[in-house]
Amino acid sequence: MSGKRPAELGPGRAGKKGKKEVVAEFSDAVMEEALKRQVAEAWSRRAPLVHEAIVMDKDPFLHCVIPNFIQSQDFLEGLQKELLNLDFHEKYNDLYKFQQSDDLKKRREPHISALRKVLFEDFRAWLSDISKIDLESTIDMSCAKYEFTDALLCHDDELEGRRIAFILYLVPPWDRSLGGTLDLYTVDEHFQPKQIVKSLVPSWNTLVFFEVSPVSFHQVSEVLSEEKSRLSVSGWFHGPSLTRPPNYFEPLIPRSPHIPQDHGILYDWINPTYLGMDYQIQIQEEFEERSEILLKEFLKPEKFTKVCEALEKGDVEWNSQGPPNKRFYEKAEENKLQDILKDCMELFRSEALFLLLSNFTGLKLHFLAPSEEDEIEDRKEGEAASAADSTEEGTSHDFSEPENNLATTGNSSQESNVQTQTGSDPEGNEAEDESGVPTCQGELRHWKTGHYTLVHDNSKTEFALDLLLYCGCEGWEPEYGGFTSYIAKGEDEELLTVNPENNSLALVYRDRETLKFVKHINHRSLEQKKTFPHRTGFWDFSFVYFE
């Protein structure tokens, strides 16, 4: 009687009734006891290990690569066909854009079933032995397909019970120029991701696995190939949860009251159409109905041109904003701006603009703006007199005539000297201002390929008015990304999208249940250079106002 195993029949073996049973086996070399002991020792010591069958590295966090993971090429080809025949659903939000299959836990296709068995029985047992983690039998796996401009941005994979993540690549010949790399990040002293220090290029039949922990920050870089798909099976092995460090909360960004500035600054900067009382009433009615409005050609053409010229000139000092699990864009160093850009920032902080925004929105952003109590009183008075006249006088201030000056004494000057200690995160992690003084915070931002902001675990919101003024976005298409998206907490569906549009002022009022993000700018955005060879992305003045 021979001790040899029966020969495989193609990708499977003959079962009792003559049917082919598809089986999968993973690398013999990895299962050898001597190597297994070396891997276990390296894992426990968090030490690197280099072997032709497996490579382990501890930096920036513990991860392993097994080339030639599945022994049979016939099996892999059969598996690839089954996976490509699955129904894929587009996954799309602030963090990612790619296509994903349904959960593979109960799929009956022979090759998928065999892969599930080898991963969650044989390989799980091996992994438990080398990691000394009591991995559960929970099956958690799906198939992902990344195509041109798809990406998965910086995250740590942490979720209750996840202990080891894995990815099996089934890609055509691939190199770094095609994107789709698995990028690994270092962390700072607060366990926040800092920078990419290692990028793993996908390769056919290569399995990558890593320990899920508070420092396991990684991303799938944007796929740059228009012809090739990055196909993979990925998931997690579950076990006892690790202890997490305390949540880190970023320092709050200071808010400030308005700068004392009378109406003259509005005449200098703003399209006169927006300064007439009748038009302001019309804007307010539309805004109160929809909580958002887009005011086109907002700045005077000559002022807008000078602002764009200053931005194009390239003299602005830009600082990259992070951490990458929350945001990645450039912010201007304000105290080094050219005068025209400083003046534009001053416009958005001015007392006159606070009052104008009150007129546009009905919000109480200035002491002259009516409160809800004032409006109720106006309505009562209107019943005895002319309701329409009373309402107009009570809710708007006409800036179209120079003699209609803004008050800059009394309450106004007192408010301008108040210093508030509250602040916020750029994406909405705001602390409430208890002083009752209207405040704002703002920045000048540069957006280009690869930039984004994310909704994150510590995102908190309050009632606030967002203001965006866009520059340098001629020819910008929504498919490039870079638009600001508003979503309800816990939902992916967009409530509102604000697309970059030159010299357009976007105003959006959000409540405590609304979050926002700027969508990842993909490589399609480089098409902008065909028309504007010297331009990289666009700019915006971004302000948030609080009653």
Side-chain angles (χ1 to χ4, degrees):
M1 182 176 175
S2 171
K4 294 182 180 179
R5 291 182 298 179
E8 287 188 4
L9 301 177
R13 299 179 189 155
K16 290 182 180 178
K17 298 183 179 179
K19 289 184 180 179
K20 289 181 180 178
E21 178 196 353
V22 175
V23 296
E25 293 180 332
F26 72 94
S27 169
D28 271 339
V30 172
M31 289 188 286
E32 287 179 359
E33 280 303 317
L35 181 56
K36 186 176 174 182
R37 283 195 298 272
Q38 290 181 51
V39 174
E41 185 180 354
W43 184 287
S44 66
R45 291 172 46 221
R46 297 296 194 264
L49 172 69
V50 178
H51 187 280
E52 62 180 9
I54 185 169
V55 175
M56 181 184 295
D57 197 354
K58 64 181 179 63
D59 294 321
F61 51 84
L62 198 62
H63 63 280
C64 301
V65 178
I66 302 178
N68 303 311
F69 178 68
I70 296 292
Q71 293 185 24
S72 167
Q73 287 301 311
D74 287 342
F75 174 86
L76 289 165
E77 289 168 11
L79 174 65
Q80 184 185 42
K81 286 178 184 175
E82 288 178 4
L83 293 171
L84 290 173
N85 281 329
L86 296 173
D87 289 328
F88 284 86
H89 313 283
E90 185 174 49
K91 303 282 286 182
Y92 181 95
N93 63 13
D94 59 317
L95 184 65
Y96 48 68
K97 182 174 84 74
F98 64 96
Q99 295 176 67
Q100 188 177 48
S101 73
D102 290 329
D103 195 328
L104 299 180
K105 180 163 55 178
K106 295 182 179 177
R107 299 299 302 194
R108 295 181 177 277
E109 290 86 347
H111 294 82
I112 293 173
S113 299
L115 179 67
R116 186 170 61 229
K117 185 175 187 301
V118 76
L119 282 172
F120 287 92
E121 293 181 17
D122 305 341
F123 186 67
R124 177 174 64 89
W126 179 89
L127 204 48
S128 278
D129 288 345
I130 67 109
S131 67
K132 303 298 185 282
I133 300 171
D134 184 17
L135 297 175
E136 301 162 3
S137 58
T138 305
I139 294 170
D140 190 350
M141 63 185 285
S142 62
C143 180
K145 184 165 59 174
Y146 289 76
E147 296 179 326
F148 183 51
T149 74
D150 287 349
L152 171 58
L153 303 177
C154 181
H155 64 291
D156 62 9
D157 263 12
E158 279 216 297
L159 201 64
E160 187 71 27
R162 290 179 180 176
R163 290 302 305 273
I164 296 175
F166 71 88
I167 312 103
L168 174 64
Y169 295 110
L170 296 167
V171 294
W174 203 273
D175 61 50
R176 195 175 297 271
S177 69
L178 302 177
T181 53
L182 180 64
D183 299 333
L184 312 183
Y185 289 81
T186 54
V187 295
D188 63 16
E189 67 275 17
H190 303 296
F191 297 97
Q192 297 296 291
K194 276 177 68 177
Q195 61 187 20
I196 296 166
V197 294
K198 189 170 186 178
S199 294
L200 303 175
V201 179
S203 179
W204 175 263
N205 193 22
T206 294
L207 184 88
V208 175
F209 64 96
F210 59 84
E211 190 174 37
V212 176
S213 75
V215 302
S216 58
F217 286 100
H218 60 284
Q219 73 166 10
V220 177
S221 68
E222 182 184 347
V223 171
L224 306 180
S225 172
E226 296 192 53
E227 293 81 33
K228 295 182 177 182
S229 292
R230 181 190 186 275
L231 189 72
S232 63
V233 175
S234 58
W236 295 271
F237 296 99
H238 290 242
S241 293
L242 287 174
T243 302
R244 283 193 64 93
N247 274 343
Y248 171 68
F249 294 94
E250 295 176 284
L252 298 172
I253 295 175
R255 304 174 186 173
S256 57
H258 58 60
I259 301 169
Q261 277 273 14
D262 68 19
H263 64 283
I265 194 170
L266 304 184
Y267 304 145
D268 290 344
W269 278 87
I270 294 174
N271 183 335
T273 306
Y274 294 113
L275 301 181
M277 184 173 67
D278 290 344
Y279 200 36
Q280 289 174 35
I281 292 169
Q282 185 181 327
I283 289 170
Q284 186 182 127
E285 287 173 353
E286 184 176 338
F287 184 86
E288 287 181 338
E289 183 180 335
R290 301 170 55 190
S291 297
E292 53 94 7
I293 198 164
L294 188 69
L295 305 179
K296 300 190 177 188
E297 305 301 325
F298 185 72
L299 298 184
K300 287 183 171 180
E302 62 272 20
K303 285 289 191 183
F304 184 72
T305 299
K306 287 180 180 178
V307 167
C308 289
E309 285 173 353
L311 290 168
E312 293 272 13
K313 202 172 177 183
D315 292 342
V316 179
E317 183 177 317
W318 299 102
N319 298 315
S320 186
Q321 301 297 294
N325 62 327
K326 296 176 182 174
R327 65 190 72 86
F328 177 42
Y329 62 88
E330 292 178 340
K331 175 183 174 180
E333 186 63 55
E334 199 169 331
N335 59 8
K336 297 181 181 179
L337 288 176
Q338 294 178 40
D339 288 344
I340 187 71
L341 298 177
K342 280 184 180 177
D343 291 346
C344 192
M345 295 292 283
E346 192 171 292
L347 166 69
F348 293 118
R349 293 192 174 104
S350 70
E351 179 176 6
L353 194 85
F354 269 64
L355 183 52
L356 183 63
L357 292 175
S358 297
N359 293 351
F360 284 163
T361 64
L363 300 173
K364 192 169 178 61
L365 297 173
H366 191 279
F367 81 100
L368 290 177
S371 64
E372 288 184 20
E373 291 78 10
D374 295 332
E375 291 174 357
I376 292 169
E377 190 62 35
D378 284 345
R379 283 199 293 272
K380 288 179 181 177
E381 290 175 9
E383 290 172 5
S386 169
D389 290 346
S390 171
T391 303
E392 287 181 3
E393 290 171 8
T395 58
S396 290
H397 297 267
D398 191 352
F399 296 98
S400 59
E401 298 299 328
E403 59 268 20
N404 186 357
N405 291 340
L406 263 178
T408 55
T409 58
N411 290 347
S412 176
S413 60
Q414 289 170 19
E415 287 175 6
S416 67
N417 292 325
V418 175
Q419 295 299 313
T420 58
Q421 300 302 313
T422 57
S424 81
D425 174 299
E427 276 66 69
N429 184 14
E430 288 124 10
E432 260 188 86
D433 178 12
E434 299 295 342
S435 68
V437 177
T439 57
C440 78
Q441 58 190 44
E443 55 190 356
L444 171 56
R445 307 183 294 186
H446 183 205
W447 298 96
K448 58 186 181 182
T449 307
H451 286 174
Y452 58 86
T453 68
L454 299 175
V455 173
H456 48 87
D457 290 345
N458 296 330
S459 293
K460 294 179 182 176
T461 58
E462 62 179 299
F463 296 100
L465 177 69
D466 294 334
L467 176 152
L468 291 167
L469 178 80
Y470 291 104
C471 306
C473 44
E474 300 95 332
W476 193 266
E477 299 291 341
E479 65 181 15
Y480 299 167
F483 51 81
T484 299
S485 184
Y486 289 82
I487 59 171
K489 272 188 180 178
E491 303 289 337
D492 283 349
E493 187 176 349
E494 292 171 341
L495 302 172
L496 172 70
T497 298
V498 179
N499 287 304
E501 189 173 331
N502 243 15
N503 198 12
S504 290
L505 188 83
L507 297 175
V508 179
Y509 187 62
R510 53 187 164 86
D511 61 20
R512 295 178 186 274
E513 295 302 313
T514 306
L515 300 169
K516 62 176 178 175
F517 63 88
V518 177
K519 184 62 181 173
H520 175 255
I521 299 176
N522 61 53
H523 276 68
R524 289 186 193 274
S525 63
L526 299 177
E527 293 174 12
Q528 186 190 37
K529 285 186 174 291
K530 294 176 183 176
T531 311
F532 303 94
H534 304 297
R535 180 165 297 165
T536 306
F538 64 89
W539 302 269
D540 67 21
F541 292 85
S542 173
F543 278 76
V544 185
Y545 298 83
F546 308 90
E547 290 184 286

